[in-house]
Amino acid sequence: MTKAWSSMQTDRKAYGIQGGFLPREIFKTEGESDLIRLSFLSMPMDKVETKWQLWKNYQYVLAFRFAIQEINKDPQLLPNLTLGFQLYNSVTSGQFTLRSTLHWLTGKHHLIPNYTCQTQGKTVAIIAGTTSVFSAEIGTMLELYKTPQITYGPFDPMLSERAKFPSIYQMATSDSSLACGMLSLLLHFGWIWVAIFVSNDLKGEQFLQDILAEMVKKGVCLAYALKLPDSKKRYENTKISFLADLHILSANVYILYGDVSSLYTMEFLSQYYLTLGKVWIMAAKWEIALLETEHMLHSFHGGFSFSHHKGEIPGLKHFVKTVDPSHYPEDFFLSQLWLHALHCLPRGSHCGTVGVCPPNASFEFFPGHIDMLTTSDSSYFIYSAVYAVAHALHKMLSEQIEKGSPGDAAQPRILPWQLAIHGSTWHVSRDLPLQALSPRVSRATGSPPPPPPPPPAGEDVSFHETRHRMKHYDIHNIVNFPAGFRLLIKIGEFSSENAHDQGLVLNEEMIEWPAAFKETPQSLCSQRCGPGFRKMTHEERPVCCYTCVICSERDISNHTDAEQCTPCADHEYPNLERNHCLPKLVTFLGFKEFLGMALACMALCFSVLTAAILWVFVRHRDTPIVKANNRTLSYVLLITLLLCFLCSLLFIGRPNTATCLLQQIAFGLVFTVAVSTVLAKTMTVILAFKALKPGRIMRQLLVIGASNFIIPICSFIQLALCGIWLGSSPPFIDTDVHSEPGHIILVCNKGSVTAFYCVLGYLGSLALVSFTVAFLARNLPDTFNEAKFLTFSMLVFCSVWVTFLPVYHSTKGKVIVAVEIFSILASSAGLLGCIFFPKCYIILIKPDKVSLKAFKNQISSRRT
């Protein structure tokens, strides 16, 4: 590195930063006494011989070196200054942390507190921290010297506590929206039954609370939750029983969240029990650790990884392709990497019998498990951290020049705690470009220098704690290959700035599922309820564990896992599967259907029979039996019964306004005339026998035909009731949509139900009076006396209509119309049969009994 640095120090003063440490120092820069260093803690290299996947961590060094090189070439960011650096290898062991920190602080192998031998430049910042535990351990020591530490590892809220770690700054962004992103992925594929594994620390606990809160809102249930210990050693002497439960869990989706040690724990546990056939969802901060896992190589295949969205670093890939050991001969790790990966070294970078690499050899041709061209999250954060320090230096030096004289620019005094102050307060808004920094006075000329340019990646660079506002994630699919290679293929994005159901964008065609699934897997506690069913949850079980219940006869559900069934509209009805509504057929009691045709035939037959009886009575009008039973009233009753039979036809056929008005009115009036005629006939019999006794009143009533006035009086009362009915709330055409599934029945609505029952009640009262009068007259002399027949006919009439009321209220649809028609026919037939059939039998079958001679013989026999 000495040669590389000397070429950049011709007309610049050299400054440096330091980027990490631990026992083994890879290489460091040498330069002038005022060199400002940035120390960088690179990847672990202690297990190089056994874990070749760790060579991918060398990408951190390349990103760090590329950023330093860009800054030193930039004439505006740090003009007349050179940024130096030191690189140290990291040992992932907490027991060496304190010792290594003291080694770096003192500059000697002899640990002398509060003493340093570093004379060739002051280190102003350290870029380190693959884990939060490591950053916290070295941060405690560095805080004594107020040396700022910028971590490029996963974001940890513990490190953001300014009271504990005032000089630690995190480049990684917060995971505050990670739970929302993972939940959106679950909902996208319909995964509502998941298991969660988190690290046993505050970060894992916070993530568990966040995602459980979102799961409750969205109806996703927790099948299993486990807090992983921070070390696999706890399980070495412990029986692992829960792994068997993992295998039999009905959940096919596992969420994994925690630090790298948690993943190592899962890797250790998988040695005893592989968890195949599961979809793993995790954060991309385990990206490097994933490459180290052996037993879970196939377990994670087809899983998903969330990483914060990052832009490309222009020029980095070209830089990586052109780097080789000949450019940096002092970097022995780079030589080892080439030697072990390509089994050769570039010309001029070695001695001995090692083969010479072809001229086009580069990182581009390295094995697949050592991918240096794909920028990782940590590499991106390292690159941004270097620029954050450079901009803080720019601001700090500009302020020093403003406060002092231009001559002070030659020997600027920079202390680490000063950089911490400027770095913690300097922040660039995402809406404000870096060029908006206020102009400073040039150290050489005293004129305002040009503002520093933004970093080539186009992102804000700051180690301020407010960077956690970033809420944009890239989603990668984890794909394993038989040779042990693993790739992270970007298949989508999630942005929490949009609604959760719209912020997820996926390319499902690119997704590679675990080998156990040939299509998109399901993760359910219960089988989905298909269309036509709804979910019924149980109090003692999670909401995702439910029973499917078929919708009721009037409801449907047209989607899967319906919470409630939806009723069909009044003009529709559910199909047999109850997954959609069908239009109902309009129907009514018509003449063409069997029930309507049967009732119509009955009405016509009874009408013809009544007309025949009327013809018989008219033909034998001079016979004693016809004369004795009031010939006129008999004619009126027969005509009325004929109309009763015919009025039943008004109830059959398609309803219209005319038929709806005539149905109940005609029924009420003709039956009132019929019942009042029966009452008049009964009163005539009573008056005829009472007139034989002394007294003038009965005889006068019989002479003037008082019984004949009963019919118009009773009919007028019923006519008044019907008039009130028509005037207040007349019957109208209506539809019955509930009586028969699949049909809309056209019916005649009664209008005023009160008026209907008033008409029916008046008719019933008149029938009861007629029955009572006839019953009292039943014991009169029976020669041509029809009182007994009238009593029986009214008994039949009243029985029919008393039975009609409960049947009428218990039926619906077209049947209710049929019941009313049947009651009309039955009651009319009862009157016709009980009153006129005996007379017709005598007139037609026994004509000798209706002669005058037979009548006189019967009277003589009664007197004797």
Side-chain angles (χ1 to χ4, degrees), residues 352-430:
T353 60
V354 179
V356 178
C357 293
N360 62 344
S362 69
F363 281 111
E364 188 176 3
F365 302 101
F366 268 45
H369 61 277
I370 309 178
D371 181 14
M372 296 294 180
L373 300 180
T374 302
T375 305
S376 64
D377 286 354
S378 296
S379 297
Y380 183 82
F381 294 148
I382 291 169
Y383 177 85
S384 300
V386 175
Y387 264 94
V389 174
H391 279 275
L393 283 170
H394 175 89
K395 181 178 181 181
M396 183 175 60
L397 295 174
S398 298
E399 290 182 355
Q400 288 183 0
I401 295 173
E402 284 183 349
K403 294 178 182 179
S405 61
D408 295 337
Q411 297 292 334
R413 179 176 177 82
I414 298 177
L415 299 176
W417 63 267
Q418 294 176 314
L419 186 70
I421 294 176
H422 286 80
S424 63
T425 57
W426 176 78
H427 177 66
V428 181
S429 171
R430 291 193 171 276

Side-chain angles (χ1 to χ4, degrees), residues 508-740:
E508 297 188 33
E509 296 180 356
M510 297 179 60
I511 297 177
E512 182 76 18
W513 295 111
F517 303 105
K518 296 183 179 180
E519 57 184 11
T520 304
Q522 293 185 345
S523 188
L524 306 170
C525 177
S526 303
Q527 290 298 323
R528 293 190 178 277
C529 296
F533 294 84
R534 66 173 179 87
K535 297 191 298 185
M536 184 177 70
T537 58
H538 305 276
E539 294 183 359
E540 66 278 3
R541 303 184 66 190
V543 294
C544 299
C545 304
Y546 46 79
T547 304
C548 297
V549 180
I550 192 170
C551 294
S552 62
E553 60 180 7
R554 295 181 181 177
D555 299 337
I556 65 162
S557 64
N558 54 9
H559 62 277
T560 304
D561 283 346
E563 297 288 344
Q564 297 292 335
C565 296
T566 304
C568 290
D570 290 342
H571 62 280
E572 296 177 330
Y573 72 99
N575 60 344
L576 294 178
E577 293 78 16
R578 297 181 185 175
N579 55 12
H580 67 274
C581 297
L582 300 175
K584 291 183 177 181
L585 299 176
V586 178
T587 184
F588 48 86
L589 185 62
F591 291 99
K592 294 183 179 181
E593 58 181 292
F594 175 77
L595 184 58
M597 186 179 298
L599 293 175
C601 291
M602 289 176 60
L604 292 176
C605 291
F606 280 119
S607 299
V608 172
L609 182 59
T610 304
I613 294 175
L614 179 60
W615 178 80
V616 170
F617 267 62
V618 172
R619 181 159 186 176
H620 298 84
R621 59 183 177 277
D622 295 328
T623 57
I625 191 171
V626 175
K627 291 180 179 180
N629 288 282
N630 198 328
R631 181 170 52 191
T632 303
L633 292 178
S634 297
Y635 294 160
V636 173
L637 182 58
L638 286 170
I639 295 174
T640 303
L641 291 176
L642 177 62
L643 294 177
C644 287
F645 289 123
L646 294 177
C647 80
S648 64
L649 298 177
L650 295 173
F651 292 84
I652 306 175
R654 187 182 186 91
N656 55 60
T657 304
T659 56
C660 287
L661 291 174
L662 291 175
Q663 280 179 5
Q664 305 300 335
I665 304 302
F667 158 71
L669 288 177
V670 295
F671 266 87
T672 300
V673 174
V675 175
S676 61
T677 301
V678 173
L679 178 59
K681 289 175 69 65
T682 306
M683 293 300 299
T684 300
V685 173
I686 293 175
L687 290 176
F689 282 96
K690 295 295 183 180
L692 298 178
K693 297 181 180 181
R696 300 179 57 185
I697 297 178
M698 293 295 179
R699 184 172 296 179
Q700 290 178 356
L701 291 175
L702 182 61
V703 171
I704 63 175
S707 59
N708 295 331
F709 292 100
I710 295 177
I711 299 175
I713 293 174
C714 294
S715 300
F716 178 77
I717 296 174
Q718 185 70 288
L719 183 62
L721 292 175
C722 292
I724 295 173
W725 185 3
L726 294 177
S728 60
S729 180
F732 59 90
I733 303 174
D734 197 6
T735 56
D736 182 1
V737 296
H738 302 298
S739 297
E740 295 184 14

Side-chain angles (χ1 to χ4, degrees), residues 14 117 177 236 311 417 617 725 773 834:
C117 288
S177 299
E236 290 180 352
W417 63 267
F617 267 62
W725 185 3
V773 174
C834 295

Side-chain angles (χ1 to χ4, degrees), residues 295-312:
H295 300 91
M296 298 194 74
L297 180 66
H298 299 291
S299 296
F300 286 142
H301 174 71
F304 297 92
S305 172
F306 278 75
S307 64
H308 288 283
H309 180 73
K310 55 185 179 295
E312 291 292 333

Side-chain angles (χ1 to χ4, degrees), residues 845-864:
I845 306 302
K846 302 290 186 178
D848 53 326
K849 291 186 176 182
V850 296
S851 61
L852 182 58
K853 181 179 180 180
F855 179 70
K856 291 179 179 180
N857 292 335
Q858 187 175 5
I859 294 218
S860 299
S861 63
R862 283 183 176 274
R863 289 179 178 178
T864 56

Side-chain angles (χ1 to χ4, degrees), residues 44-63:
M45 289 293 185
D46 295 270
K47 299 181 180 181
V48 175
E49 294 79 7
T50 57
K51 296 288 186 180
W52 280 103
Q53 295 90 340
L54 291 177
W55 279 114
K56 179 175 171 60
N57 294 357
Y58 192 79
Q59 186 190 85
Y60 301 168
V61 177
L62 297 177

Side-chain angles (χ1 to χ4, degrees), residues 733-756:
I733 303 174
D734 197 6
T735 56
D736 182 1
V737 296
H738 302 298
S739 297
E740 295 184 14
H743 293 85
I744 298 177
I745 304 174
L746 293 179
V747 295
C748 288
N749 192 297
K750 303 284 189 303
S752 174
V753 179
T754 303
F756 170 73

